[in-house]
Amino acid sequence: MFDRYEAGEQAVLVHVDFSDESNKEDVNELQMLVSSAGVKTASIISTSRSVPHAKYFIGSGKAQEIADTVQAIGADVVIFNHQLSPSQERNLEALICCRVLDRTSLILDIFAQRARTHEGKLQVELAQLRHLSTRLIRGWTHLERQKGGIGLRGPGETQLETDRRLLRGRIKAILKRLAKVQKQREQGRRSRKRAEIPTVSLVGYTNAGKSTLFNTITDAGVYAADQLFATLDPTLRKIELAEVGQAILADTVGFIRHLPHDLVAAFKATLQETQEADILLHVIDYADEQYLENIDQVNEVLDEIDAGDVPQLIICNKIDRLEGVDPKIDRDENGKPIRVWVSAQQGLGIDLLKTALTECLSKAMVEHNLKIPPNEGRLRGILYNLNCILDQSYSDDGDWLVEVKMLESDWHKIDKQLEHRLTEYVIQ
């Protein structure tokens, strides 16, 4: 059993170039993540493989090279740009005699540093505990036996079993607290629905400029920096839009390639602001060479949290870093805004953004006459909760004849919940 090292200033980064596109990662993004964690990159070791090695993730020769590099430069931690299994981490630590972190552990560490609110800290702790639950054995390999000796024999808990029990208890307590937070957020959303206040949620790849744009629009003064995951805790502010009135703008956590599932699950209450939004402002760092891949990654996460059907307005940010690009609004064949070109830092195109947002929200209402059969009690409850009923009556055969007016996004959400039966009830 070797001594466990705490993460320090010097890090050796390991990047594997896989032939499979689904496993590919960006080494520059790894360097930004390490910098965001407050760690200095001492060396970068790259290699190519077709598939991960079962024992070390990389080949045994490359693993020995890492061990020699760590010893030569006195590094404190080795960080992989990929997700390692618990056994792979354990095998690498035994060979290198140094702390080994994978991409997920690194992101969790950054989140732990950034969380400021009580809710944010709970969410990060929940994600960390879920990640740790599969790796408990690493720290207690010398205690994986029950006590023996006179008076100590017989049934009892191993240290590992004790830790797992305590871990389960803590996770249960955090989930209980987060459930309370989620109820409070739902109450706020219901109040805004009743008051017909639309919600606009900022989404995008991490470091795309969401918080800077949020500050420019609202003068909120939230923390914004040129680093990954500068924002963790959601911030809501009221804004005034012509012809629409008040709206709620929400700044949310940024997404990243292969965002850990534990994080997505832990931040469910926060990400629900995105699920329930009337429109998403998808902020894109258009100066980033990989902006197309970043767009795909964000859309993947939105699908994962059931927000893929929420209408989007694309915000092409950081045009001040591009030559010959001016603020403008791109429209579809029907004249509806689909893309706005802005520079949040320079304040360019913000008026155009507000104009486009006003058009999207003011035109996002739908009005339908429905003929709903008596057995659709669930739909009836949904419509009452939305407070969208303009008029109602009953036909001779017991069908509910109702006139509704609601946001287009709500119509699509209900239709999806009912497996697209809602359109069958529309009276043509």
Side-chain angles (χ1 to χ4, degrees), residues 196 362 364-370 383 386-391 402-408 410-411:
E196 296 185 351
S362 60
M365 302 296 291
V366 294
E367 195 168 342
H368 291 291
N369 290 307
L370 305 175
L383 296 179
L386 282 175
N387 196 23
C388 62
I389 299 172
L390 300 178
D391 191 24
V402 60
E403 183 183 355
V404 297
K405 184 179 181 181
M406 68 181 77
L407 289 166
E408 186 178 6
D410 284 336
W411 176 267

Side-chain angles (χ1 to χ4, degrees), residues 181-313:
V181 172
Q182 191 169 354
K183 282 184 180 179
Q184 292 170 343
R185 286 190 178 278
E186 285 175 358
Q187 287 175 349
R189 279 192 290 270
R190 281 199 297 269
S191 298
R192 295 197 295 269
K193 286 284 187 185
R194 284 195 293 269
E196 296 185 351
I197 299 177
T199 301
V200 181
S201 184
L202 290 167
V203 299
Y205 206 75
T206 181
N207 203 34
K210 296 182 297 299
S211 294
T212 304
L213 181 62
F214 186 82
N215 286 337
T216 305
I217 296 174
T218 65
D219 296 322
V222 300
Y223 179 68
D226 186 15
Q227 59 186 18
L228 302 186
F229 298 117
T231 301
L232 274 196
D233 303 308
T235 308
L236 306 180
R237 290 290 186 275
K238 284 185 179 180
I239 58 174
E240 289 287 340
L241 296 172
E243 300 179 22
V244 175
Q246 285 188 341
I248 299 295
L249 185 63
D251 188 19
T252 59
V253 63
F255 302 145
I256 197 169
R257 283 178 186 79
H258 303 143
L259 189 67
H261 289 284
D262 289 336
L263 274 179
V264 175
F267 278 75
K268 186 178 179 181
T270 301
L271 294 172
Q272 205 156 0
E273 296 293 349
T274 300
Q275 293 172 305
E276 301 290 336
D278 298 301
I279 189 170
L280 303 179
L281 296 186
H282 185 165
V283 184
I284 300 166
D285 178 359
Y286 211 72
D288 190 339
E289 294 179 355
Q290 294 185 313
Y291 74 91
L292 289 175
E293 291 91 335
N294 295 347
I295 292 172
D296 292 337
Q297 292 297 325
V298 171
N299 287 330
E300 277 185 26
V301 177
L302 289 174
D303 287 335
E304 191 175 342
I305 63 173
D306 296 326
D309 292 332
V310 181
Q312 289 188 21
L313 177 62

Side-chain angles (χ1 to χ4, degrees), residues 25 33 72 74 93 111 114-115 118-119 134 171 234 350 372 414:
E25 300 288 1
L33 282 169
E93 286 189 344
F111 271 51
R114 298 279 191 275
H118 177 63
E119 179 192 358
T134 60
I171 288 176
I350 302 304
I372 301 172
I414 297 170

